[in-house]
Amino acid sequence: MFEPVIAPSASLLGLLQRGRGDGQLHALAADRDEAIAALEECVTSDPRADWQVENRSLYYARVYMDLEAPLGGLELHLNHPEDLLDPDESRTGLALAVLGHLAAYGRRDALLLLRQYAASGGNWAWALDELALRDDDQALLALAPAVLNRFPAGPEGEAALRAAIRAAFEPRPWRLWAAQHPRVAAASEQSPFDLWQRQLGRGGVTPGWSVADVLAWADNREAGSPLDQAAADDGRDPAAVDRRAAAAARCLAAVARPEDRQALVDAARHGAEGARRAALRHLVDQDDPAVPELIEAAAADADDRIVRAALETLGRMRGPRALERARRWADPATGGADSALGEAAVLLLADIGEPSDAAAVVAGLRRWILVHGVSGAGIGTLVDGAGRLAAVAAVPTLRHVYGESGSSELRGRAARALAVTDRYFASGPAVECLWDCEESTRELAARHVVTTGDARVLERLRRLAADPAEEAEVHAAVRGRLTSRER
């Protein structure tokens, strides 16, 4: 899947793509046709980099309701010939989730479109899950023939039917159908046994119960047998190596004894990839005094995989020794703040640092944005660290992250940091956050926003309190503010 193309943050499309509160407000003020076109672009071309941690469906459904927008664009998208050629549910998942919310708001056209797509569309299972929450029993029963026709009679069709029942997020339709369709009843009864059989039948080699056995297993070798490492690495899956090394480190915690320490230190310094990573992670978890030197050596290794593993393991360090060494690595005078090791050390300071480390974290956040922009796995840690350390000097940078980030999850983290560092948050960003796409950000805004001086605030709080689609946490925060004597 390609990275989404995000429009500039000042444009209507860019605001809507980001899920910012100002997007909904600007859509109401813009030309209606322009706003509907931008909204359809967002829903039919999912702008999220990671749909599993970013919310948009309720946000877009609310904009549809405010604009009284027709669903022609969504219908064309769902019924496009590509729907049967592209099995990736991310192509239509957002549109189906939006339709589900619209159906809950009483849009009959959304409910009918969901029914039609569940009967004939490629991502029918998602549509069925949406209908399971919103449709009546008779309509769901009427869908059974169209859905069951997807599973031909025979062993393969029955196996696929059992898999579909297991994968369903909402079991309600299948339970209704089981009462009238023997195939569904039989498949529902057999499905748990299929899962148990797979779990009981898992094979694979497990490590022996000695440090040497575990290290050999971590490197995907039988204990005592030599292996040409270069040849082995060519066919290795990096993710599989990560998982095996992590599992081996957990095994080492159970089998390693004090007399094994030197063997573990040697493996962490000179071992093959899997064994080296497992030993280093184990020693970090044990807060071994040799860890800082071992990490420095691994971070200077010629193998990029070892360097990456060392920097990831550094993030697990804790305690006074970790803080002391992280400060040295992050200090331009004694370490190298612009090096990979220095960057990882700043991330560690953001996690476990003390108030005196706030300046280093703020400098690291600014440097990160200069090098990587408002993206990357580490920026969220730096943003959280600036908030945790109450780094007031980070406010301009945090505002930049809030406004420019394409990730609503990261924007929410920036908002949380601003809530404790920016004295103008309650009367500024918090107002916009009441319309944000993330429920956690709306909850934060409801708890902090100033309710006097802006007529929109109380009106929005009342609407959120009355909206049955809103999350319980937001309802609690909003009602707490509305009933409080001190607003």
Side-chain angles (χ1 to χ4, degrees):
M1 182 178 176
F2 293 104
E3 284 292 317
V5 177
I6 305 297
S9 60
S11 66
L12 174 60
L13 177 59
L15 290 169
L16 288 173
Q17 286 177 320
R18 289 168 172 79
R20 281 183 55 180
D22 275 355
Q24 189 170 352
L25 297 171
H26 280 61
L28 296 176
D31 175 80
R32 182 170 179 269
D33 290 339
E34 177 189 350
I36 291 174
L39 180 59
E40 288 180 347
E41 169 68 16
C42 293
V43 179
T44 58
S45 298
D46 195 336
R48 297 171 294 181
D50 187 349
W51 62 271
Q52 293 179 313
V53 298
E54 295 186 59
N55 298 305
R56 291 290 191 284
S57 55
L58 179 58
Y59 172 84
Y60 291 141
R62 284 170 168 167
V63 181
Y64 264 99
M65 292 297 293
D66 288 342
L67 294 175
E68 299 180 354
L71 303 181
L74 297 189
E75 185 174 5
L76 289 173
H77 176 68
L78 293 175
N79 294 326
H80 193 278
E82 187 180 358
D83 183 61
L84 299 177
L85 301 175
D86 184 358
D88 190 346
E89 64 181 12
S90 65
R91 197 191 78 84
T92 53
L94 179 57
L96 294 171
V98 169
L99 288 174
H101 285 299
L102 290 174
Y105 279 132
R107 289 281 297 257
R108 179 75 177 173
D109 51 350
L111 188 64
L112 294 176
L113 185 51
L114 276 174
R115 290 175 182 171
Q116 176 259 308
Y117 187 82
S120 60
N123 194 9
W124 61 271
W126 191 313
L128 186 61
D129 283 332
E130 297 291 340
L131 289 169
L133 296 172
R134 281 111 184 172
D135 217 345
D136 58 64
D137 289 356
Q138 291 304 314
L140 290 174
L141 288 170
L143 277 174
V147 172
L148 294 180
N149 284 340
R150 297 175 181 275
F151 306 99
E156 292 185 0
E158 298 306 319
L161 178 58
R162 294 195 298 271
I165 294 173
R166 283 196 306 273
F169 283 96
E170 299 296 335
R172 179 173 163 239
W174 300 102
R175 290 173 180 170
L176 288 172
W177 299 344
Q180 298 188 4
H181 298 273
R183 285 186 70 195
V184 178
S188 299
E189 293 174 358
Q190 181 62 35
S191 181
F193 292 99
D194 291 346
L195 179 60
W196 294 339
Q197 288 171 350
R198 285 199 306 275
Q199 291 173 336
L200 291 172
R202 284 180 178 174
V205 179
T206 56
W209 290 105
S210 74
V211 167
D213 291 335
V214 173
L215 292 176
W217 180 80
D219 201 45
N220 202 18
R221 294 178 289 118
E222 295 296 333
S225 63
L227 181 67
D228 182 351
Q229 189 63 38
D233 284 349
D234 287 342
R236 279 195 169 182
D237 174 14
V241 177
D242 288 344
R243 291 191 297 270
R244 185 174 284 254
R250 292 192 293 271
C251 290
L252 288 172
V255 304
R257 297 169 296 180
E259 56 265 32
D260 296 314
R261 178 181 178 274
Q262 190 56 50
L264 289 166
V265 170
D266 292 341
R269 183 176 286 120
H270 303 300
E273 182 186 2
R276 187 173 186 179
R277 293 171 63 172
L280 183 58
R281 177 165 171 169
H282 170 76
L283 292 170
V284 166
D285 291 343
Q286 299 300 313
D287 194 22
D288 191 279
V291 162
E293 287 74 23
L294 292 171
I295 285 183
E296 285 184 349
D301 198 274
D303 189 334
D304 288 341
R305 295 168 301 184
I306 297 295
V307 173
R308 177 175 61 84
L311 300 180
E312 290 174 356
T313 305
L314 185 153
R316 300 175 64 87
M317 294 176 67
R318 293 295 183 268
R321 186 184 295 112
L323 265 179
E324 177 187 354
R325 193 55 67 102
R327 287 166 179 154
R328 200 186 83 178
W329 288 332
D331 188 343
T334 58
D338 57 348
S339 67
L341 183 60
E343 190 175 87
V346 174
L347 293 176
L348 183 59
L349 291 178
D351 257 348
I352 66 171
E354 299 171 345
S356 60
D357 300 307
V361 172
V362 173
L365 177 59
R366 292 169 179 161
R367 189 163 48 248
W368 183 284
I369 292 173
L370 286 174
V371 175
H372 305 286
V374 188
S375 61
I379 189 171
T381 301
L382 294 169
V383 166
D384 292 344
R388 186 180 67 83
L389 299 172
V392 176
V395 167
T397 310
L398 291 172
R399 288 177 180 171
H400 175 77
V401 173
Y402 174 89
E404 295 299 323
S405 174
S407 165
S408 56
E409 189 263 347
L410 176 59
R411 182 176 65 252
R413 295 166 82 167
R416 286 193 293 274
L418 284 168
V420 296
T421 57
D422 186 358
R423 60 176 176 166
Y424 299 110
F425 175 77
S427 58
V431 176
E432 181 192 351
C433 288
L434 288 173
W435 282 264
D436 198 86
C437 67
E438 296 290 339
E439 63 264 18
S440 59
T441 306
R442 296 194 297 276
E443 179 188 356
L444 176 81
R447 296 190 185 281
H448 287 83
V449 70
V450 173
T451 57
T452 56
D454 191 333
R456 298 174 303 167
V457 172
L458 281 177
E459 180 187 355
R460 179 61 175 172
L461 290 174
R462 293 186 182 108
R463 288 192 63 178
L464 290 175
D467 191 340
E470 189 53 84
E471 296 292 331
E473 292 82 0
V474 180
H475 274 159
V478 169
R479 289 167 182 163
R481 293 303 304 279
L482 289 174
T483 57
S484 174
R485 293 183 178 179
E486 295 181 4
R487 292 181 178 176

